[in-house]
Amino acid sequence: MNVAVTQQGYTAFEPRPLSPTIGAELIGIDLARDLSDAEINEVRRALLEFKVVFFRDQSITRAQHIAFARRFGALEIHPATPADQEDREVLRIAHGPNSRGVENNWHSDVTWRETPSLGSILRAIELPEVGGDTLFSDMYAAFEGLSPEMKRFVTGLTAVHDIARVFAGRLKKSAEDLHARFPPMEHPVIRTHPETGRPLIYVNTGFTTHIKGLSRKESDWVLEHLYAQAAIPEYQCRFRWAPGSIAFWDNRACQHYAASDYFPAVRVMERVTIAGDKPFYRA
Ligand code: SIN
């Protein structure tokens, strides 16, 4: 693949930003090829720079999807993946006439884990004619946009994340059952990205239950304010899916929201999620 060196110094593809702060399509890379370590390193660098990267017109199999994800680290198995499914690293997200899309809340994947995921790679399998876009929001920019006093107040706080908030209903399991395997986890409200060293907001509407040490009312108020930052359009990009589209986002740097506007049309996606490390804050 011969792509001129861009101003960011990429040679394996040309990054085309979707917005000034987040998201870029990587043009000219074929994920069906056996990519070199140098090419994978460039994708990783682009992920750190743009927080979410997109690939168009890709023709890859499920096995190639898994193999590509494995180049970035160990893979997770999600508890929502059926035990008898082949390729258990794949989480199938399917909606249609019998199930409306439910991923329409701002979240970062699996923050209820002790070591939440580094990133997720989502591949379009079947799409509605229109609708079903995914929105992404830059959590560095969201932190940057807080007032200095608010930054000081929330930095150093700890929040609790609970799988049961979403998955008790979806998996029809009690919170106690889920907690036996995945107890509620504490993570810093403001996290330092382990690779870029930048601070970012690390609470989300999906999984965060409360902030430790505050009254419930105070915690709700602070969380509502932090959640509201993800919804600010200036921190966002929006991706319109097409057959062959793939998105790869950094769960440590951004949140996402899958628009649930296509019911009763069918939308089927497959996600492979790369394991991450324990969140920390370092001044
Ligand atoms: C997810 O929340 O991981 C799925 C996002 C999507 O289906 O667009």
Side-chain angles (χ1 to χ4, degrees), residues 74-76 78 108-121 187 191 193-194 202 248-254 256 271-279:
L75 303 183
E76 294 177 351
H78 197 284
S108 167
D109 292 324
V110 302
T111 62
W112 38 266
R113 287 191 192 273
E114 183 172 13
T115 54
S117 95
L118 175 158
S120 300
I121 304 180
H187 298 309
R191 164 181 196 179
H193 192 290
Y202 199 65
F248 182 2
W249 60 85
D250 183 344
N251 276 307
R252 306 161 303 179
C254 69
H256 56 284
R271 192 180 93 191
V272 178
T273 307
I274 303 149
D277 48 13
K278 193 159 172 50

Side-chain angles (χ1 to χ4, degrees), residues 93 103 107 109 122 132-134 241 249 256-258 267 269 271:
I93 302 169
E103 294 78 18
H107 65 284
D109 292 324
L122 189 69
D133 295 356
T134 308
W241 295 90
W249 60 85
H256 56 284
Y257 178 112
R267 180 181 187 269
M269 314 295 272
R271 192 180 93 191

